[in-house]
Amino acid sequence: MHRTRPAAALAALSISACLLAGCSTRPGDESDRRKASPAASGAAATPHIRLNAADGQKHVSVRRGGRVTVEAGRITNVSLATANGRAVRGAVSSDGRTWAPDAVLDHGTAHRLTVVAAGADGRKVTKKIAFTTVAKTDRFTGTFTPDNGSTVGVGMPVSFTFDKAITEKKAVESAIEVSSSSGQPVVGHWFGARRLDFRPQQYWRANSTITVRIRLDGIKGAEGAYGEQDKTVRFTVGRSQVSTVDAATHRMTVVRDGKTLKTIAITAGAENSPTWNGQMVISEKLISTRMNGATVGFAGEYDIPDVPHAMRLSTSGTFIHGNYWGADSVFGRTNISHGCVGLNDARGGGDPTQDGAWFYNNSLLGDVVVVRNSDDRTIAPDNGLNGWNMPWDQWKAGSAR
């Protein structure tokens, strides 16, 4: 690896580059270079310098802004410095075609970049630009679920939440690619200006691998909001498990890979606080938690410690969880909850023989729980990870692509 050198050393490097560099042309490639046929005429192609910023550009990526690529030639000199004269160290690749800073550039800093490249015949090309990197206050970030390397249920969407309102939705959505090893087409849908979910038309196919390519670095999301994330995330879809709660019969049927695994007696929402209907996705698992009605609009009605095996189904506070305070006789016979689905269980979750423990231990984040025959409306698609309740045509209409 060669590093940027003082002028005296660069002269020797320039001579070496002229002796060693080769040149080539590709049929039909006319982008910013001269067409040449060395075999026929002995002419060499003019070096073409590619930069990741334009002269005078602002909000330039701190990761890509100082990088240099040369085609039909080799780099002989690179000078990158801040406006106050502080040099930015970097290295030339072994083939002399690329140069990159040793570290990411400083945010909100003016830079000057000069690049000299030479062709096989010694002809030199120089390019100079000045640019300013994006300020820390002008960045946006997307947090997302599920996590890289996780194994999830078939209902788990890919969900992004941005820390700033996005106005350039097409640019942001186009910079995120979600694909499945099953070949299922995947479409994004915007819920407002800060949330973007991706899913296929039907649940993910069991045992497939989902790849999420995030290429937001340098993407303008809004005025004063530029992305910096550049990563690839992969997660696995496990077995297919969909559990159907019938609020009228007070039973839940757990179906795994098309076969009934277990039927469990439950208690759903009472008459004055029914459970949402619809397809709900498990988004959080808590072995034990405290549930206070004040957090979900039932102030003073309950405050229960050590609620076992709680699994979140909605942002608004719907859970499927163990219940130790109800009499055994309520399960399978009546609905007594404030909107959750309750399973017979022991306080704190210490008894593995209870129905709540069994369901918790046999559930993944992303598993689907379907509620039917409750005296409430269908849950909103953006209340939790529950976009499956939106018709496919409506889902596609919410894409910005």
Side-chain angles (χ1 to χ4, degrees):
M1 299 288 284
H2 301 290
R3 295 187 178 275
T4 307
R5 308 181 181 186
L10 287 172
L13 178 58
S14 177
I15 294 171
S16 175
C18 293
L19 292 173
L20 296 176
C23 63
S24 63
T25 57
R26 291 177 289 179
D29 187 354
E30 300 179 6
S31 57
D32 298 329
R33 72 182 76 176
R34 298 180 184 176
K35 295 179 70 177
S37 178
S41 63
T46 301
H48 175 60
I49 300 172
R50 290 187 177 183
L51 307 177
N52 288 309
D55 190 33
Q57 184 177 345
K58 298 179 180 180
H59 310 295
V60 173
S61 165
V62 296
R63 291 175 174 80
R64 297 186 296 110
R67 296 183 181 181
V68 177
T69 302
V70 169
E71 296 182 2
R74 293 171 67 91
I75 296 169
T76 62
N77 185 32
V78 174
S79 173
L80 178 61
T82 61
N84 63 8
R86 181 177 60 82
V88 178
R89 294 177 60 83
V92 181
S93 62
S94 58
D95 63 2
R97 306 294 175 125
T98 62
W99 184 93
D102 289 345
V104 297
L105 304 179
D106 292 337
H107 287 93
T109 304
H111 294 77
R112 294 186 179 277
L113 174 62
T114 301
V115 183
V116 181
D121 61 355
R123 181 169 22 186
K124 292 184 178 180
V125 173
T126 301
K127 196 165 187 177
K128 299 181 179 181
I129 65 168
F131 63 89
T132 303
T133 51
V134 63
K136 287 184 178 180
T137 55
D138 286 340
R139 300 177 295 171
F140 77 87
T141 300
T143 56
F144 56 86
T145 192
D147 293 335
N148 185 42
S150 59
T151 298
V152 300
V154 296
M156 177 64 78
V158 176
S159 182
F160 283 81
T161 300
F162 300 103
D163 61 355
K164 291 185 177 180
I166 302 299
T167 58
E168 303 296 329
K169 292 182 177 180
K170 182 176 181 180
V172 170
E173 185 177 341
S174 297
I176 302 172
E177 178 189 350
V178 182
S179 60
S180 171
S181 61
S182 69
Q184 291 173 274
V186 183
V187 176
H189 181 95
W190 287 88
F191 292 109
R194 292 177 181 260
R195 178 174 165 184
L196 172 62
D197 284 13
F198 293 84
R199 70 168 178 89
Q201 184 173 4
Q202 306 296 334
Y203 299 144
W204 300 110
R205 291 178 190 162
N207 307 310
S208 56
T209 299
I210 312 304
T211 301
V212 185
R213 294 179 175 87
I214 307 168
R215 301 293 181 259
L216 290 171
D217 191 18
I219 298 297
K220 181 179 180 180
E223 197 63 38
Y226 294 80
E228 286 192 339
Q229 292 165 289
D230 190 346
K231 62 176 64 178
T232 297
V233 173
R234 290 185 176 85
F235 62 91
T236 301
V237 178
R239 76 291 178 276
S240 171
Q241 181 166 300
V242 178
S243 302
T244 301
V245 172
D246 189 326
T249 64
H250 319 294
R251 295 286 188 278
M252 177 173 68
T253 303
V254 182
V255 175
R256 180 178 293 179
D257 295 326
K259 297 181 180 179
T260 298
L261 192 62
K262 191 177 182 71
T263 299
I264 302 174
I266 61 95
T267 181
E271 184 178 355
N272 61 346
S273 55
T275 307
W276 299 109
N277 285 294
Q279 304 166 77
M280 289 175 262
V281 173
I282 297 174
S283 59
E284 183 182 16
K285 294 180 67 178
L286 302 168
I287 190 68
S288 180
T289 190
R290 177 179 180 177
M291 290 189 170
N292 189 331
T295 63
V296 290
F298 292 103
E301 296 194 26
Y302 64 88
D303 186 2
I304 308 171
D306 306 320
V307 177
H309 301 120
M311 291 174 279
R312 182 180 292 275
L313 300 178
S314 78
T315 306
S316 62
T318 308
F319 282 79
I320 182 166
H321 60 76
N323 179 318
Y324 65 83
W325 54 94
D328 290 346
S329 59
V330 304
F331 300 98
R333 293 181 177 85
T334 187
N335 293 327
I336 65 168
S337 85
H338 287 82
C340 293
V341 176
L343 313 176
N344 208 350
D345 209 338
R347 181 170 182 169
D351 184 352
T353 67
Q354 298 294 316
D355 287 340
W358 182 91
F359 188 66
Y360 184 94
N361 292 331
N362 282 276
S363 295
L364 295 173
L365 294 179
D367 280 349
V368 180
V369 176
V370 181
V371 176
R372 295 176 177 167
N373 298 322
S374 177
D375 293 328
D376 205 346
R377 61 186 184 276
T378 299
I379 192 167
D382 61 344
N383 186 359
L385 302 177
N386 299 324
W388 304 104
N389 296 286
M390 180 180 290
W392 184 238
D393 286 346
Q394 186 178 344
W395 182 271
K396 292 189 297 180
S399 170
R401 288 188 181 177

